[in-house]
Amino acid sequence: MTENRPDSDAQDPWADIRPYHDDEVAAVLARLTHEPELLDALTRFRLPRLSRVMPGLSRTLASLALRRQARGVASVRDFQQRIAGYMERMIRTTTDEFETTGLDALDPGTAYLFIGNHRDISLDPAFVNYALYLAGCNTVRIAIGDNLLKKPYVTDLMRLNKSFIVPRSARGKRAMLAAYQKLSGYIRHSITADNHSIWMAQREGRAKDGVDGTDPAIIKMMTMARRTEDRQASLGEAIAELRLVPVAISYEYDPCDVQKARELHALRSSGTYEKGQYEDIQSIVAGITGHKGRVRLTFGTPLSDDFAAPDAVAAEIDRQVLGGYHLFPSHYLALEALGVAPELLDLGAASDADRSRFQARLQQVPAELRDWWLAQYANPVLHKAGRAPFDPTAAERDRRAE
């Protein structure tokens, strides 16, 4: 499906938040091939020594490489076709197995609002897109928070890849309300008018502790446009119109697990955590390049109109996401290592290779972060069983009291 521009600006009220249209691609790519910050970022990653010794030459080489890659890219679809090749290579080199269930029960010609658990900034929607691509379906438009778009070149790259912007930095209640009304209108327009699917996370931010849950405020935002246009419309009608489909993504290993453990440990021990200037970009790169083991993607069933409150919608999304979440040996091995809830252990599928791989990763984790690292993997087991998540701070307190 092409990304065509409306006939006039009056018909494009979402111009500042939507993905780029096909007729904008050439100009954006031309701008990117001369963007100093992007060129510096690429050379630091691909040519670290040359970028230090001869930064001008390294930027020139990076610009030439980008222009070569951009040759023949005239549409969003062309851009994503280039990405698909990298995605396939990434899966071959960093993922041991990728399995999808539930997609065959959905209509390939119908747009859905896929709402899923959130573990990785870029990979969650990338795996959804890859599953759709393999099934011959159109890829999704991706919701991304403006907190991740601090650099203009990052914004350009994301919008080329069919991302639209979720406002998180607007100041004041009136500004936030206006921003969310615009966002809700765009989501509804994409599903009902453009017949173009969307992916959104079930809450703001990644689930760094391994406990997935839907924020009812997301549901309120999604349905705002319909209920503003039609005051008589029920919440259930607004939900059914958007064709919400819960999606569960399960990683055997999270490439950002140590960074997440460090953030949670800092927040609990000192009350604050200051992100580095390029930390979000580094997380994106780590997620793409890091080893993920096996990955499972489970598509649920579209939600009906049988909902009267946002909390009920959130509960149904949670039920489907939790039901579709796959537990790998790494989850049970983490629970075993923590020494909690032994009655929940199911290690029948854990091979010697699984244990060796798990122990090798655990040995790389700093001692003070290990409980936080283990909790990310153990908590999905506890959550599925209806238990409270493991609290490393409380566990440390108990150890000291003994």
Side-chain angles (χ1 to χ4, degrees), residues 120-181:
D120 188 274
I121 295 171
S122 63
L123 284 182
D124 296 347
F127 275 117
V128 169
N129 266 343
Y130 190 61
L132 293 168
Y133 170 77
L134 292 178
C137 301
N138 195 27
T139 54
V140 295
R141 291 169 174 165
I142 302 165
I144 184 166
D146 62 4
N147 58 303
L148 299 174
L149 305 176
K150 296 174 183 176
K151 300 291 184 182
Y153 73 85
V154 176
T155 302
D156 280 343
L157 287 169
M158 292 299 181
R159 293 180 72 185
L160 280 173
N161 194 37
K162 289 170 63 171
S163 293
F164 61 95
I165 301 170
V166 175
R168 291 177 181 163
S169 57
R171 302 295 181 187
K173 289 185 178 179
R174 184 173 297 179
M176 284 302 297
L177 179 61
Y180 282 134
Q181 284 176 329

Side-chain angles (χ1 to χ4, degrees), residues 380-401:
V381 183
L382 296 170
H383 195 193
K384 267 184 171 282
R387 308 286 185 88
F390 179 79
D391 185 343
T393 301
E396 178 62 24
R397 203 163 43 236
D398 292 343
R399 279 195 293 266
R400 290 177 179 175

Side-chain angles (χ1 to χ4, degrees), residues 340-391:
V340 299
E343 69 279 7
L344 298 180
L345 289 177
D346 182 3
L347 293 168
S351 65
D352 290 342
D354 289 325
R355 284 188 175 276
S356 296
R357 188 160 48 243
F358 180 83
Q359 288 299 325
R361 289 182 70 104
L362 180 58
Q363 291 305 312
Q364 300 298 313
V365 181
E368 71 275 12
L369 301 181
R370 286 190 179 177
D371 277 0
W372 298 93
W373 187 90
L374 290 167
Q376 294 174 55
Y377 294 101
N379 278 337
V381 183
L382 296 170
H383 195 193
K384 267 184 171 282
R387 308 286 185 88
F390 179 79
D391 185 343

Side-chain angles (χ1 to χ4, degrees), residues 15-28:
D16 58 336
I17 66 168
R18 59 160 175 76
Y20 286 130
H21 291 141
D22 287 344
D23 62 357
E24 297 169 304
V25 169
V28 174

